[in-house]
Amino acid sequence: MAARLYRLGTAFENALLVLLLCGMMILAVGQIVLRIFFDSGILWADELLKILVLWVALVASVAASRSRRHLRIDVLSRYVPERFSRIPGVLVDAFAAGICGVIAWHSARYIILSAEFGETVLIDTPTWLALGILPLAFALMGYRFALYAFAGLLDLRQRDLEDQSG
């Protein structure tokens, strides 16, 4: 069941990323064609493109965290003995989970405030709808990093038990 949900989530992330990228490309090319050949354009297209860039970046970040291909600055692992080489990874994952959690929390607070104030983008679209990806993406990344940290701790514990018995 868990493997099936994982595959379904992966397929959804990939499909959303492809859909957003295709929509962004079609809109951008359409806007260029309209400006060059017809001296006009879609009034809200530039603002929508900015929002789509945000969505693509965050969905891609979630996908990168899924496959552990995200940006990672890990200076400690070079200076730690081989026996303790997994500890910096666990610390980095736990730190990343905490930071993503804080960002998710505060972006959710921002979304709630913008909904209360009735802010809009793209003529009359509620801002919370356009920026709703922020808390969701950071919460997903935080969850994944927390799982990685927990798995790393379990791995450290397993190695410790093997070292004590062997």
Side-chain angles (χ1 to χ4, degrees):
M1 180 73 168
R4 188 175 180 169
L5 285 174
Y6 180 81
R7 283 193 311 273
L8 184 65
T10 300
F12 177 75
E13 285 174 4
N14 292 340
L16 183 60
L17 195 54
V18 167
L19 182 69
L20 289 169
L21 276 170
C22 287
M24 195 169 72
M25 293 300 293
I26 289 168
L27 187 60
V29 170
Q31 188 75 336
I32 291 168
V33 168
L34 286 173
R35 286 184 181 163
I36 291 174
F37 296 112
F38 301 102
D39 290 326
S40 69
I42 303 169
L43 181 65
W44 44 263
D46 293 334
E47 190 173 6
L48 180 58
L49 282 169
K50 290 175 189 175
I51 292 168
L52 287 175
V53 167
L54 173 71
W55 276 69
V56 166
L58 288 172
V59 172
S61 296
V62 170
S65 71
R66 173 189 69 220
S67 57
R68 297 186 69 94
R69 295 196 320 208
H70 54 280
L71 270 176
R72 191 176 183 101
I73 301 171
D74 190 8
V75 177
L76 292 176
S77 62
R78 294 181 181 196
Y79 303 108
V80 174
E82 179 65 31
R83 181 168 186 245
F84 302 109
S85 64
R86 300 253 180 181
I87 294 173
V90 171
L91 293 175
V92 167
D93 287 335
F95 182 74
I99 294 298
C100 286
V102 168
I103 294 172
W105 171 259
H106 287 291
S107 61
R109 289 180 57 210
Y110 173 75
I111 298 296
I112 291 168
L113 281 175
S114 71
E116 286 176 2
F117 285 113
E119 293 179 6
T120 61
V121 294
L122 298 174
I123 303 172
D124 276 336
T125 305
T127 300
W128 66 265
L129 193 59
L131 300 180
I133 188 69
L134 286 165
L136 180 63
F138 281 104
L140 281 172
M141 286 187 286
Y143 172 73
R144 284 189 175 148
F145 288 131
L147 286 179
Y148 294 146
F150 185 69
L153 282 175
L154 290 178
D155 186 49
L156 285 172
R157 179 70 179 139
Q158 183 65 29
R159 284 182 180 214
D160 190 39
L161 290 173
E162 288 173 0
D163 289 345
Q164 287 177 0
S165 66

